[in-house]
Amino acid sequence: MRLNGVHIEDTFAEAFPMLGTRLVITADTPAWVQAAVVSMTGFATSVIACGCEAAMERPLPADETPDARPGAAVLLFAMSKAELAKQVARRVGQCVMTCPGTACYAGLRDGPAIPLGNALRYFGDGWQIAKRIGGRRYWRIPVMDGEFLCEAATAAVDGVGGGNFIILAADRRAGLAAAQAAVLAIRELPGAILPFPGGVVRSGSKIGGKYKGLIASTNTAFCPTLRAAVPASLVPEGVESILELVIDGVSEAAVAAAMRVGIAAVADLGAAGGVVSVTAGNYGGKLGRYQFRLHEVMA
Amino acid sequence: MSGVVLTIREPAGPPIDMTGVLPERLAEGGRKALAGLTLVRGRGRHRLDALFTFQDGGPPGTLILRPGGAVLDGVGTGMTAGDIGVEGDCGAYAASAMRGGTLTIEGSCGAFAAAGMAGGSLRVAGDAGDFLGAPLAGGTRGMSGGSVVVMGDAGDRVGERMRRGLIAVHGRVGSLCGARMIAGTIVVGAGCGPDPGQAMRRGSILLPRAPEPVPSGFSDGGMNDWLFLELVRKELIDGGAWPSGFPTAGTRARRLIGDRSAGGIGEVLILSEA
């Protein structure tokens, strides 16, 4: 398949089940919302070493938040309910509750409960107050600037992690421009996040490596500097830069939609923009339950 | 199939105990089951169809009562689902021990309305008597869920021993509002009588101005922002139940915390001083 002169390889992205949740964080100003969200979603790029993958889904205007203040929706994904609950409690406790003026609400209603205020209330040292409003339970935890209002629990949803596509570009500048165009397009969609810095990964990995005990190591097949040395290199002539976008979503459809708009944005730049081809990362279909075939996604 | 309208045949006379006249019974057994119910009026026991006429009316499954001046006690007692509308006043125990559904009273109601209520919704266009949302006589558990909106005044001991739920009274309430309250929220639009929150352990009482005098077991915590007020306001505004004198924006209020003499950390929030 060719789109605007960009070759779309006939391959698939391999993704796997994850458990996800959505939180709504509000504060007095968008800047304080941003401060809380950046802190909370920091060091949450990959479950390989971070425990969870997280990012802001979208900013929320005041008329879309429970307390009529500026806010943001955040998605977090982990490999198990226990790990998700641990990461939610730690990150909300250390990064949201600590941020001036914030409040935290559940962004999902249906599904297994993930403790939110229920896990953090003990910080109130007995002065915390439970409040049921409109059929939902909240905790009011006294803090030094007033009260931290936090919904008692959020819900988990069966999500999909590891959706991806890989951009092969003529040079680094063209690769970055294509990746950033894709990031901007994907961030317009609900239900999906790009957990890596700026939404882009440059250090894509393969499973294992030559050193004992290594879970993952650099994806040598896609390293342009190793093209001449690695027999199984997948870097074509004329490609100097390769970037990957990894997508987590609340559903298979959300990941597929994100891949579609992302690849379309890359293809819009076309061969004239220095984009050579788009491919995807997989493990031969052995690891992930989900396979997103690029040609089907773009059909 | 439409709902059923029950109109009293003879308004004059002693109160009628309406316990058991519920929309669930109508849904399960139809009009026949309802008509055959035995009701107590004074010393007498009567079939329901001997006391009321039946007509079609209202949405399906709805029960509409037209008391015409008769005193109907226990309307909606133990109700779990459906809707009851009362086109007039109710006697005592309206919505007592209610667990679900909606009771709408176009007039006023007597004492012990919503007593022991655990769920559902009661809306009173007029006034309510004493012990609104309190325990049933002899009981120790006040309202433990659901919502009550009274557009007029309410009597003494509103929300006594309340454990959960929401009571909003647009007018005034009498003495000992929220006494021995354990949790929940009481919103009072036009002030209260003496000793609100006496011996309360937790819970919130929202008032338009500070009680005079401030109860001795309460400490003045001063002004602050209370974000949960925005959620309460949204909930009540959506139902048309936010008192008209209360601010429609902002979350500032003065907080009295107590009743410290009972080891409580409940609160009286005064909104108009924001």
Side-chain angles (χ1 to χ4, degrees), chain B residues 203-224:
Chain B
S204 308
I205 302 173
L206 278 56
L207 296 177
R209 55 188 161 274
E212 286 290 343
V214 170
S216 58
F218 281 77
S219 310
D220 193 340
M223 299 292 296
N224 215 314

PDB file of all heavy atoms in Angstrom, chain B residues 203-224:
ATOM      1  N   GLY B 203     -20.787  14.657  59.727  1.00  0.00           N
ATOM      2  CA  GLY B 203     -21.862  15.165  58.892  1.00  0.00           C
ATOM      3  C   GLY B 203     -21.768  16.668  58.707  1.00  0.00           C
ATOM      4  O   GLY B 203     -20.938  17.331  59.341  1.00  0.00           O
ATOM      5  N   SER B 204     -22.607  17.194  57.834  1.00  0.00           N
ATOM      6  CA  SER B 204     -22.551  18.611  57.491  1.00  0.00           C
ATOM      7  C   SER B 204     -23.931  19.232  57.576  1.00  0.00           C
ATOM      8  O   SER B 204     -24.900  18.657  57.073  1.00  0.00           O
ATOM      9  CB  SER B 204     -22.032  18.798  56.052  1.00  0.00           C
ATOM     10  OG  SER B 204     -20.815  18.106  55.861  1.00  0.00           O
ATOM     11  N   ILE B 205     -23.992  20.398  58.211  1.00  0.00           N
ATOM     12  CA  ILE B 205     -25.224  21.188  58.228  1.00  0.00           C
ATOM     13  C   ILE B 205     -24.902  22.521  57.562  1.00  0.00           C
ATOM     14  O   ILE B 205     -24.004  23.242  58.011  1.00  0.00           O
ATOM     15  CB  ILE B 205     -25.734  21.424  59.666  1.00  0.00           C
ATOM     16  CG1 ILE B 205     -25.968  20.086  60.372  1.00  0.00           C
ATOM     17  CG2 ILE B 205     -27.008  22.255  59.654  1.00  0.00           C
ATOM     18  CD1 ILE B 205     -26.302  20.218  61.850  1.00  0.00           C
ATOM     19  N   LEU B 206     -25.581  22.827  56.477  1.00  0.00           N
ATOM     20  CA  LEU B 206     -25.333  24.075  55.742  1.00  0.00           C
ATOM     21  C   LEU B 206     -26.405  25.086  56.119  1.00  0.00           C
ATOM     22  O   LEU B 206     -27.604  24.813  55.951  1.00  0.00           O
ATOM     23  CB  LEU B 206     -25.382  23.832  54.229  1.00  0.00           C
ATOM     24  CG  LEU B 206     -24.126  23.271  53.558  1.00  0.00           C
ATOM     25  CD1 LEU B 206     -23.665  21.965  54.169  1.00  0.00           C
ATOM     26  CD2 LEU B 206     -24.364  23.090  52.068  1.00  0.00           C
ATOM     27  N   LEU B 207     -25.977  26.236  56.628  1.00  0.00           N
ATOM     28  CA  LEU B 207     -26.926  27.249  57.091  1.00  0.00           C
ATOM     29  C   LEU B 207     -26.648  28.573  56.389  1.00  0.00           C
ATOM     30  O   LEU B 207     -25.521  28.844  55.964  1.00  0.00           O
ATOM     31  CB  LEU B 207     -26.785  27.448  58.602  1.00  0.00           C
ATOM     32  CG  LEU B 207     -27.128  26.271  59.512  1.00  0.00           C
ATOM     33  CD1 LEU B 207     -26.858  26.637  60.968  1.00  0.00           C
ATOM     34  CD2 LEU B 207     -28.579  25.846  59.332  1.00  0.00           C
ATOM     35  N   PRO B 208     -27.657  29.433  56.316  1.00  0.00           N
ATOM     36  CA  PRO B 208     -27.444  30.738  55.687  1.00  0.00           C
ATOM     37  C   PRO B 208     -26.756  31.733  56.624  1.00  0.00           C
ATOM     38  O   PRO B 208     -26.175  32.715  56.170  1.00  0.00           O
ATOM     39  CB  PRO B 208     -28.866  31.200  55.350  1.00  0.00           C
ATOM     40  CG  PRO B 208     -29.719  30.519  56.348  1.00  0.00           C
ATOM     41  CD  PRO B 208     -29.058  29.210  56.673  1.00  0.00           C
ATOM     42  N   ARG B 209     -26.851  31.511  57.914  1.00  0.00           N
ATOM     43  CA  ARG B 209     -26.179  32.399  58.883  1.00  0.00           C
ATOM     44  C   ARG B 209     -25.865  31.609  60.151  1.00  0.00           C
ATOM     45  O   ARG B 209     -26.448  30.548  60.384  1.00  0.00           O
ATOM     46  CB  ARG B 209     -27.041  33.621  59.201  1.00  0.00           C
ATOM     47  CG  ARG B 209     -28.420  33.275  59.680  1.00  0.00           C
ATOM     48  CD  ARG B 209     -29.308  34.510  59.792  1.00  0.00           C
ATOM     49  NE  ARG B 209     -30.714  34.133  59.825  1.00  0.00           N
ATOM     50  CZ  ARG B 209     -31.460  33.926  58.761  1.00  0.00           C
ATOM     51  NH1 ARG B 209     -30.946  34.080  57.566  1.00  0.00           N
ATOM     52  NH2 ARG B 209     -32.718  33.567  58.870  1.00  0.00           N
ATOM     53  N   ALA B 210     -24.964  32.163  60.923  1.00  0.00           N
ATOM     54  CA  ALA B 210     -24.525  31.450  62.128  1.00  0.00           C
ATOM     55  C   ALA B 210     -25.668  31.339  63.120  1.00  0.00           C
ATOM     56  O   ALA B 210     -26.457  32.273  63.281  1.00  0.00           O
ATOM     57  CB  ALA B 210     -23.360  32.190  62.762  1.00  0.00           C
ATOM     58  N   PRO B 211     -25.782  30.210  63.794  1.00  0.00           N
ATOM     59  CA  PRO B 211     -26.823  30.077  64.820  1.00  0.00           C
ATOM     60  C   PRO B 211     -26.531  31.015  65.981  1.00  0.00           C
ATOM     61  O   PRO B 211     -25.374  31.316  66.267  1.00  0.00           O
ATOM     62  CB  PRO B 211     -26.718  28.610  65.245  1.00  0.00           C
ATOM     63  CG  PRO B 211     -25.392  28.142  64.789  1.00  0.00           C
ATOM     64  CD  PRO B 211     -24.968  29.008  63.646  1.00  0.00           C
ATOM     65  N   GLU B 212     -27.572  31.497  66.603  1.00  0.00           N
ATOM     66  CA  GLU B 212     -27.431  32.406  67.752  1.00  0.00           C
ATOM     67  C   GLU B 212     -28.015  31.761  68.987  1.00  0.00           C
ATOM     68  O   GLU B 212     -29.214  31.496  69.031  1.00  0.00           O
ATOM     69  CB  GLU B 212     -28.158  33.723  67.471  1.00  0.00           C
ATOM     70  CG  GLU B 212     -27.466  34.624  66.483  1.00  0.00           C
ATOM     71  CD  GLU B 212     -26.181  35.247  67.023  1.00  0.00           C
ATOM     72  OE1 GLU B 212     -26.001  35.238  68.266  1.00  0.00           O
ATOM     73  OE2 GLU B 212     -25.376  35.707  66.225  1.00  0.00           O
ATOM     74  N   PRO B 213     -27.243  31.506  70.017  1.00  0.00           N
ATOM     75  CA  PRO B 213     -25.779  31.606  70.032  1.00  0.00           C
ATOM     76  C   PRO B 213     -25.155  30.408  69.318  1.00  0.00           C
ATOM     77  O   PRO B 213     -25.833  29.408  69.087  1.00  0.00           O
ATOM     78  CB  PRO B 213     -25.460  31.563  71.524  1.00  0.00           C
ATOM     79  CG  PRO B 213     -26.530  30.686  72.096  1.00  0.00           C
ATOM     80  CD  PRO B 213     -27.772  30.950  71.291  1.00  0.00           C
ATOM     81  N   VAL B 214     -23.859  30.526  69.030  1.00  0.00           N
ATOM     82  CA  VAL B 214     -23.141  29.373  68.496  1.00  0.00           C
ATOM     83  C   VAL B 214     -23.122  28.300  69.581  1.00  0.00           C
ATOM     84  O   VAL B 214     -22.786  28.589  70.735  1.00  0.00           O
ATOM     85  CB  VAL B 214     -21.697  29.760  68.100  1.00  0.00           C
ATOM     86  CG1 VAL B 214     -20.876  28.523  67.776  1.00  0.00           C
ATOM     87  CG2 VAL B 214     -21.715  30.715  66.919  1.00  0.00           C
ATOM     88  N   PRO B 215     -23.543  27.070  69.259  1.00  0.00           N
ATOM     89  CA  PRO B 215     -23.586  26.018  70.291  1.00  0.00           C
ATOM     90  C   PRO B 215     -22.235  25.862  70.980  1.00  0.00           C
ATOM     91  O   PRO B 215     -21.180  25.951  70.342  1.00  0.00           O
ATOM     92  CB  PRO B 215     -23.965  24.765  69.493  1.00  0.00           C
ATOM     93  CG  PRO B 215     -24.624  25.268  68.252  1.00  0.00           C
ATOM     94  CD  PRO B 215     -23.983  26.577  67.944  1.00  0.00           C
ATOM     95  N   SER B 216     -22.293  25.603  72.267  1.00  0.00           N
ATOM     96  CA  SER B 216     -21.066  25.632  73.066  1.00  0.00           C
ATOM     97  C   SER B 216     -20.051  24.569  72.656  1.00  0.00           C
ATOM     98  O   SER B 216     -18.862  24.724  72.876  1.00  0.00           O
ATOM     99  CB  SER B 216     -21.407  25.464  74.549  1.00  0.00           C
ATOM    100  OG  SER B 216     -22.101  24.246  74.725  1.00  0.00           O
ATOM    101  N   GLY B 217     -20.486  23.488  72.091  1.00  0.00           N
ATOM    102  CA  GLY B 217     -19.550  22.428  71.727  1.00  0.00           C
ATOM    103  C   GLY B 217     -18.887  22.638  70.386  1.00  0.00           C
ATOM    104  O   GLY B 217     -18.164  21.760  69.909  1.00  0.00           O
ATOM    105  N   PHE B 218     -19.097  23.790  69.761  1.00  0.00           N
ATOM    106  CA  PHE B 218     -18.536  24.028  68.434  1.00  0.00           C
ATOM    107  C   PHE B 218     -17.424  25.076  68.477  1.00  0.00           C
ATOM    108  O   PHE B 218     -17.519  26.058  69.208  1.00  0.00           O
ATOM    109  CB  PHE B 218     -19.639  24.505  67.468  1.00  0.00           C
ATOM    110  CG  PHE B 218     -20.501  23.372  66.968  1.00  0.00           C
ATOM    111  CD1 PHE B 218     -21.478  22.816  67.784  1.00  0.00           C
ATOM    112  CD2 PHE B 218     -20.321  22.847  65.702  1.00  0.00           C
ATOM    113  CE1 PHE B 218     -22.264  21.761  67.345  1.00  0.00           C
ATOM    114  CE2 PHE B 218     -21.102  21.791  65.252  1.00  0.00           C
ATOM    115  CZ  PHE B 218     -22.074  21.255  66.071  1.00  0.00           C
ATOM    116  N   SER B 219     -16.375  24.835  67.687  1.00  0.00           N
ATOM    117  CA  SER B 219     -15.274  25.790  67.564  1.00  0.00           C
ATOM    118  C   SER B 219     -15.367  26.463  66.209  1.00  0.00           C
ATOM    119  O   SER B 219     -15.691  25.810  65.208  1.00  0.00           O
ATOM    120  CB  SER B 219     -13.923  25.073  67.647  1.00  0.00           C
ATOM    121  OG  SER B 219     -13.891  24.236  68.770  1.00  0.00           O
ATOM    122  N   ASP B 220     -15.050  27.744  66.186  1.00  0.00           N
ATOM    123  CA  ASP B 220     -15.134  28.491  64.932  1.00  0.00           C
ATOM    124  C   ASP B 220     -13.850  28.278  64.125  1.00  0.00           C
ATOM    125  O   ASP B 220     -12.771  28.712  64.529  1.00  0.00           O
ATOM    126  CB  ASP B 220     -15.332  29.978  65.228  1.00  0.00           C
ATOM    127  CG  ASP B 220     -15.733  30.746  63.977  1.00  0.00           C
ATOM    128  OD1 ASP B 220     -15.490  30.238  62.857  1.00  0.00           O
ATOM    129  OD2 ASP B 220     -16.309  31.841  64.111  1.00  0.00           O
ATOM    130  N   GLY B 221     -13.953  27.593  62.997  1.00  0.00           N
ATOM    131  CA  GLY B 221     -12.770  27.315  62.162  1.00  0.00           C
ATOM    132  C   GLY B 221     -12.508  28.390  61.131  1.00  0.00           C
ATOM    133  O   GLY B 221     -11.565  28.253  60.336  1.00  0.00           O
ATOM    134  N   GLY B 222     -13.321  29.420  61.097  1.00  0.00           N
ATOM    135  CA  GLY B 222     -13.092  30.519  60.160  1.00  0.00           C
ATOM    136  C   GLY B 222     -13.503  30.174  58.743  1.00  0.00           C
ATOM    137  O   GLY B 222     -14.148  29.157  58.476  1.00  0.00           O
ATOM    138  N   MET B 223     -13.077  31.058  57.817  1.00  0.00           N
ATOM    139  CA  MET B 223     -13.471  30.917  56.411  1.00  0.00           C
ATOM    140  C   MET B 223     -12.503  30.003  55.675  1.00  0.00           C
ATOM    141  O   MET B 223     -11.319  29.958  55.968  1.00  0.00           O
ATOM    142  CB  MET B 223     -13.449  32.288  55.730  1.00  0.00           C
ATOM    143  CG  MET B 223     -14.388  33.302  56.316  1.00  0.00           C
ATOM    144  SD  MET B 223     -16.099  32.885  56.049  1.00  0.00           S
ATOM    145  CE  MET B 223     -16.188  32.962  54.279  1.00  0.00           C
ATOM    146  N   ASN B 224     -13.031  29.311  54.689  1.00  0.00           N
ATOM    147  CA  ASN B 224     -12.176  28.560  53.770  1.00  0.00           C
ATOM    148  C   ASN B 224     -12.985  28.156  52.548  1.00  0.00           C
ATOM    149  O   ASN B 224     -14.180  28.434  52.473  1.00  0.00           O
ATOM    150  CB  ASN B 224     -11.575  27.319  54.434  1.00  0.00           C
ATOM    151  CG  ASN B 224     -10.167  27.031  53.941  1.00  0.00           C
ATOM    152  OD1 ASN B 224      -9.912  27.061  52.740  1.00  0.00           O
ATOM    153  ND2 ASN B 224      -9.250  26.783  54.851  1.00  0.00           N
TER     154      ASN B 224
END
